[in-house]
Amino acid sequence: MKGKKIILGITGSIAAYKAAHLIRGFIKKGAEVQVVMTPAAKEFITPLTLATLSRKPVISEFFSNRDGSWNSHVDLGLWADVMLIAPATAATIGKMANGIADNMLVTTYLSCKAPVFVAPAMDLDMFGHPSTQQNVERLRSFGNQIIEPTEGDLASQLVGKGRMEEPEQIIEVLEHFFVTQNDLQKKKIIITAGPTFEKIDPVRFIGNYSSGKMGFALAEACAQRGAKVKLITGPVALKTHHPQIQRINVESAEEMYKATTEAFPQTDIAILCAAVADYRPKEQKESKIKREHDETLSLSLVRNKDIAATLGKKKRTNQIVVGFALETNDGIVNANEKLARKNLDMIILNSLQDEGAGFQHDTNKVTIIDRKGEILTLPLKSKKEVAAEIINRLVILFK
């Protein structure tokens, strides 16, 4: 963090006192901090305190004097390596999401060329309100990174999600960003995600319970670290946020096979996270199968093409293929066998035996195995955190 230039935006929240701890932490690590605060923020912490800690005059108004001088939000936006808004109130988040530039902080945000981190702080009902959630999602869609609030005691005396993340954790987030910033720049990555649906007739299909959450988390993690990502996804209800993610929607295993193999020659890394159906119905009925007098219905299934094995055969020496293995027993043995048989460079093992892991969950518990035989077993973490760990190992492997 030494030598990095940070704009710290502070808004009118009781959590503004935490800004003093953020500034001290950043300064101790060698960063420069320029504070930009809203007028309401001055009611919670004084500009004198913040200027003393940051060793720079605090900026709050467009015009600091009545002699024609003014503060340039454009210059600030070009100066910074990163902008952090902490705390970010519901009002400021709404203004940022909708381009309402009525104060120095929001105009600086709109002019900022650097990555932006937002740490919301508000009462639980305000944070959970659909309008706030929509604004947060909109900020994500612009490429901003949201530092989720935690659950805890709030100023309203209620307990719930809305408490700004602690300064130490926010500093860690930015440190990790600076360490990993652009370590995948110029890399082209394919990621497959979600389930595939294999049609039986116009209204029925064979599928699985995959939500796509792990694949989408990997796509966001890769894009945030500079990669151009092609996300090939089966039918899921998730949205992509980062502008460097190109989403390709498919339905069947055959469609996913075609999209993946066509993109692979121009790709540096392929991460095959999708839960692709191994089999499909031999015949797809053109009209709905009626339930008549028969007590049973027999389906004849044929094997789908193996995407991982195909890419493993086709890959060049400068390409990496990562597979996933969802097992119910003998996980390490089965994953190693799959790694070798399909000529993969790394495989991510997760088990349905682990509580909180696998399909539908927001968390996952995985074991990462690479072609050198190195094994890393992670505890239960959020899929976002698991994605970061996988990419960290992938970067080492690529180098």
Side-chain angles (χ1 to χ4, degrees), residues 7 38 59 68 70 106 125 144 154 202 256 303 316 318 356 370:
I7 296 174
T38 64
I59 296 173
W70 58 289
V106 179
D125 293 320
N144 299 316
L154 304 172
M256 186 169 283
R303 185 180 294 177
R316 304 183 301 271
N318 63 340
D370 67 26

Side-chain angles (χ1 to χ4, degrees), residues 185-197:
Q185 192 171 28
K186 298 183 179 179
K187 296 291 183 290
K188 295 179 180 179
I189 299 179
I190 294 173
I191 298 174
T192 64
T196 62
F197 289 174

Side-chain angles (χ1 to χ4, degrees), residues 233-250:
T233 177
V236 296
L238 302 176
K239 296 180 180 179
T240 56
H241 301 292
H242 202 285
Q244 290 199 164
I245 300 175
Q246 177 191 357
R247 178 173 179 166
I248 300 173
N249 295 313
V250 299

Side-chain angles (χ1 to χ4, degrees), residues 121-141:
M122 64 197 77
D123 198 58
L124 75 163
D125 293 320
M126 293 178 69
F127 184 71
H129 195 279
S131 61
T132 304
Q133 288 300 307
Q134 184 176 3
N135 287 331
V136 169
E137 288 304 310
R138 194 169 190 189
L139 290 183
R140 277 200 181 99
S141 72

Side-chain angles (χ1 to χ4, degrees), residues 58-211:
V58 169
I59 296 173
S60 179
E61 309 296 338
F62 292 108
F63 310 101
S64 53
N65 299 300
R66 297 193 177 277
D67 57 3
S69 62
W70 58 289
N71 293 310
S72 173
H73 54 89
V74 175
D75 289 345
L76 272 176
L78 294 173
W79 170 83
D81 293 305
V82 73
M83 182 175 187
L84 166 67
I85 297 96
T89 60
T92 294
I93 288 171
K95 290 177 181 181
M96 292 167 63
N98 293 281
I100 301 174
D102 65 348
N103 61 44
M104 189 65 188
L105 191 155
V106 179
T107 54
T108 301
Y109 160 73
L110 293 174
S111 299
C112 191
K113 300 293 185 183
V116 178
F117 290 77
V118 181
M122 64 197 77
D123 198 58
L124 75 163
D125 293 320
M126 293 178 69
F127 184 71
H129 195 279
S131 61
T132 304
Q133 288 300 307
Q134 184 176 3
N135 287 331
V136 169
E137 288 304 310
R138 194 169 190 189
L139 290 183
R140 277 200 181 99
S141 72
F142 298 158
N144 299 316
Q145 298 186 45
I146 308 299
I147 302 175
E148 289 285 337
T150 62
E151 293 192 12
D153 296 327
L154 304 172
S156 64
Q157 307 302 311
L158 298 175
V159 177
K161 187 172 183 178
R163 184 184 178 91
M164 190 182 98
E165 182 61 276
E166 295 304 316
E168 294 78 11
Q169 278 66 53
I170 293 176
I171 291 169
E172 282 186 13
V173 169
L174 263 66
E175 276 191 306
H176 181 264
F177 165 75
F178 285 125
V179 169
T180 61
Q181 185 184 26
N182 296 327
D183 57 3
L184 289 177
Q185 192 171 28
K186 298 183 179 179
K187 296 291 183 290
K188 295 179 180 179
I189 299 179
I190 294 173
I191 298 174
T192 64
T196 62
F197 289 174
E198 311 303 321
K199 284 185 178 179
I200 298 171
D201 64 15
V203 298
R204 301 180 181 90
F205 61 86
I206 296 172
N208 57 61
Y209 296 112
S210 174
S211 64

